[in-house]
Amino acid sequence: MSDIQEIIEIAKRRGFFWQSSGIYGGVSGLYTYGPLGSILKRNIVSAWADSYISIGALLVDSPVIAQEDVFRASGHLERFTDLIYECSNCKFRQKFETLLEGTGKGVPSSAEEAMKIVSSSGLKCGNCGSDKIAVTDFNLMFPVGTVRAGESRLFLRPETAQGIFVDFQLLIRQNRDRLPLIVIQTGEGFRNEVAPRNAIIRLREFSMGEVEVFMDPESHPFTPDSSKEPVNLMDRDGKDMALPVSDALSRGIVADPAMAFFIQKTHRLLTGLGIDPGKLRFRQHRRDELAHYSSDCWDAEALMDDTWIEIVGISDRGTYDLTRHQSHSGKSMEVKIGDKTFIPKVLEPAHGIDRILMATLVHSRRVTDKGYVVMSLKKEIAPYKLAIFPLFKKDGLSEIAVDIFSRYSKIDPYCIYDESGSIGKRYARQDEAGTPYCVTVDYQTKDDHTVTIRERDSGKQKRILIDDLVSGPVLGNKYVISAFD
Ligand code: AMP
């Protein structure tokens, strides 16, 4: 089974995520996060938000629905499309570029051009082989009706960014009319993907963590530090290299210091969340794959199942969005800083939270010599930090364990009590859930008020006084730390 498939199985069994509305057959690309996944996702979002709020970012929360005017100005109405073909014989639908694979032909820019390729090359439906196929430009946005009949349409947002751009003037005021201004937003984005797949990797509704960095391109504080840590980079021509980001900047591989700064920051965030630095790279977009708003883009890609999958896109949006909103709304998007009046440039690190979560799961999964799965999630993002078990339910051990649980959960709610099944099964369950510590109450506890604490990654077990265990959360607890030194 592939790594992603293994995770999909564990995720359903343990309660990280599963396809929604399974009783009705489900809709591809719509997933529910279960009890473990919801906490894991929240921990990832918090780590992301904290890392930006700590450098002065402002957090906003705009509606998921916006009016047509917003997406006309942003270009999404006209250009957020995929060329697809539909077969009138078998009703199959697929991206047109999939049909072109192996033909050596590039993706055409319009449906008309695509239809010419279909007839000149005799292309046939990839499902039934019929030639009754028609290519159309398929807009990925979900329309959600109108407020009143005849009024302009409303859409679910395909990205959270526009909710920031439309309120730029209100936000810069909140920043006391200074640049740089960093605004972050997390929430759902909606895209009617033609081929949702791999569970939470390609969804129709997904979670984003977007960062819009507004700056004066000639005067800003963003430049990478001199850390010697190598980062895997692949440039526009497909050349691979591993070098410190500051070297990549001085050698002109990454042209812009701000882009280099955010590559370094993103690398730290992702590896800090547990993504394997050896399976992480930053790949520069070729010119022909840049989005309509972008002049340069470096994607953070994680290796999963021998495929590099984009998890964050760091895009230079220039003045595209603010200029478009200025001309469409008639409202100024300029700032006056000193004696200079201008539209700020925007750099956007856009994080796909679901894909980051998937990569942390794929990269943290290991199988022990005995064939058990351990999810070695970073302790800081693990859903539960501690599990408490009685060795047996009898002889008063449950009562002691419940008492420890009620004392401990007052200082750290991310603690779980389990008395069902054998002790071995309970350890295995918590290993799959990624819980870093398990505590067991046994007969010795009755004599000396100690419990066994077991560390997930080393499998080591130590005895610790109950009073020491409940003196603080396990992650910062000096008695726990010193026990495993
Ligand atoms: P984009 O605006 O297309 O660069 O998307 C920003 C990030 O969102 C990407 O780097 C992906 O990690 C993530 N993403 C994009 N589309 C999807 C999707 N359909 N399902 C899940 N994540 C997505």
Side-chain angles (χ1 to χ4, degrees):
M1 211 190 296
S2 77
D3 288 347
I4 291 177
Q5 274 311 319
E6 295 273 4
I7 292 298
I8 293 172
E9 300 266 311
I10 295 172
K12 192 165 178 189
R13 186 165 66 238
R14 285 285 157 246
F16 284 101
F17 53 78
W18 54 75
Q19 188 174 18
S20 272
S21 305
I23 58 165
Y24 293 107
V27 174
S28 58
L30 296 181
Y31 269 68
T32 292
Y33 281 92
L36 290 182
S38 303
I39 302 177
L40 178 61
K41 183 172 160 190
R42 207 185 55 184
N43 290 348
I44 290 174
V45 169
S46 296
W48 161 79
D50 291 353
S51 81
Y52 276 95
I53 290 175
S54 69
I55 60 163
L58 309 182
L59 175 68
V60 298
D61 190 0
S62 67
V64 298
I65 298 175
Q67 66 209 79
E68 187 167 348
D69 312 278
V70 173
F71 300 115
R72 183 171 298 108
S74 70
H76 284 89
L77 210 51
E78 194 192 336
R79 298 170 73 174
F80 197 57
T81 55
D82 270 342
L83 278 181
I84 61 160
Y85 74 90
E86 268 179 299
C87 172
S88 57
N89 186 44
C90 71
K91 310 290 175 228
F92 182 67
R93 199 161 82 167
Q94 198 173 40
K95 275 194 186 180
F96 183 61
E97 63 182 70
T98 313
L99 201 59
L100 290 178
E101 277 166 18
T103 64
K105 295 197 185 302
V107 181
S109 57
S110 68
E112 291 76 50
E113 256 182 69
M115 282 311 287
K116 283 187 196 144
I117 299 178
V118 170
S119 34
S120 66
S121 311
L123 297 179
K124 303 217 162 36
C125 169
N127 186 43
C128 73
S130 159
D131 60 0
K132 295 199 177 77
I133 58 176
V135 184
T136 48
D137 233 351
F138 179 74
N139 194 296
L140 302 186
M141 285 199 297
F142 283 105
V144 285
T146 57
V147 173
R148 273 179 291 271
E151 285 192 347
S152 92
R153 288 176 299 169
L154 301 169
F155 289 89
L156 291 177
R157 62 184 180 194
E159 57 173 13
T160 69
Q162 296 307 323
I164 296 174
F165 296 133
V166 292
D167 288 338
F168 168 69
Q169 289 294 9
L170 295 170
L171 287 161
I172 187 99
R173 210 165 304 146
Q174 292 298 322
N175 209 41
R176 284 186 233 101
D177 294 308
R178 287 170 314 159
L179 289 177
L181 159 69
I182 308 178
V183 186
I184 62 172
Q185 167 150 233
T186 180
E188 311 305 301
F190 304 84
R191 297 181 188 177
N192 197 359
E193 298 281 359
V194 181
R197 62 174 170 273
N198 277 336
I200 57 169
I201 287 182
R202 190 171 295 280
L203 290 163
R204 289 195 153 97
E205 175 182 345
F206 60 101
S207 256
M208 312 183 84
E210 291 195 299
V211 181
E212 307 303 324
V213 185
F214 299 88
M215 66 181 104
D216 175 348
E218 282 153 22
S219 164
H220 62 73
F222 304 117
T223 192
D225 65 34
S226 56
S227 157
K228 289 286 158 237
E229 194 186 356
V231 171
N232 298 321
L233 299 167
M234 182 193 251
D235 71 8
R236 178 171 283 149
D237 303 320
K239 202 161 141 247
D240 275 320
M241 57 207 108
L243 71 173
V245 176
S246 51
D247 290 5
L249 178 66
S250 59
R251 287 166 53 182
I253 295 156
V254 178
D256 174 18
M259 179 62 87
F261 174 86
F262 286 101
I263 289 177
Q264 191 177 58
K265 185 165 175 56
T266 305
H267 186 265
R268 280 192 189 137
L269 174 72
L270 296 175
T271 54
L273 289 171
I275 290 175
D276 179 347
K279 294 180 179 171
L280 176 66
R281 74 173 184 194
F282 287 79
R283 183 182 69 81
Q284 188 178 28
H285 277 207
R286 297 184 314 273
R287 290 195 198 287
D288 65 354
E289 62 177 322
L290 286 169
H292 63 269
Y293 49 72
S294 180
S295 62
D296 188 18
C297 184
W298 288 80
D299 282 347
E301 298 180 328
L303 191 63
M304 296 184 247
D305 285 345
D306 299 326
T307 305
W308 289 100
I309 296 175
E310 174 194 348
I311 56 175
V312 182
I314 311 175
S315 191
D316 184 342
R317 296 179 80 126
T319 57
Y320 174 85
D321 298 273
L322 291 183
T323 306
R324 296 273 299 194
H325 284 300
Q326 175 167 283
S327 68
H328 281 250
S329 68
K331 305 284 187 315
S332 169
M333 292 289 165
E334 290 180 331
V335 288
K336 186 166 183 323
I337 310 266
D339 51 9
K340 216 164 123 183
T341 302
F342 62 104
I343 292 185
K345 158 198 164 116
V346 173
L347 203 77
E348 177 197 68
H351 303 67
I353 302 296
D354 313 271
R355 291 189 188 180
I356 293 173
L357 185 145
M358 181 64 118
T360 63
L361 289 175
V362 171
H363 290 186
S364 67
R365 178 179 152 271
R366 62 184 179 83
V367 182
T368 65
D369 302 343
K370 294 190 179 131
Y372 295 117
V373 171
V374 179
M375 302 300 298
S376 289
L377 291 168
K378 284 271 170 171
K379 293 174 180 169
E380 293 73 19
I381 65 162
Y384 289 92
K385 314 301 184 199
L386 177 67
I388 298 176
F389 317 137
L391 182 60
F392 300 114
K393 281 193 242 177
K394 56 186 183 177
D395 301 329
L397 300 185
S398 284
E399 285 75 5
I400 301 172
V402 166
D403 182 57
I404 298 172
F405 174 71
S406 81
R407 285 171 70 192
Y408 181 83
S409 52
K410 288 193 182 74
I411 50 169
D412 178 6
Y414 297 96
C415 162
I416 205 155
Y417 176 79
D418 189 2
E419 59 175 29
S420 66
S422 72
I423 193 78
K425 283 220 177 83
R426 281 178 263 162
Y427 280 137
R429 219 177 276 149
Q430 294 307 323
D431 283 347
E432 275 199 353
T435 309
Y437 296 102
C438 294
V439 150
T440 302
V441 171
D442 56 18
Y443 291 105
Q444 193 180 327
T445 311
K446 288 176 142 187
D447 296 333
D448 63 6
H449 305 286
T450 64
V451 287
T452 302
I453 182 160
R454 172 182 174 273
E455 195 187 40
R456 177 196 65 198
D457 294 334
S458 62
K460 282 190 195 149
Q461 304 200 7
K462 299 277 155 125
R463 289 204 80 88
I464 178 175
L465 279 168
I466 296 170
D467 283 347
D468 291 346
L469 173 74
V470 299
S471 67
V474 270
L475 288 203
N477 186 315
K478 62 180 179 195
Y479 302 103
V480 175
I481 294 168
S482 61
F484 295 105
D485 263 350

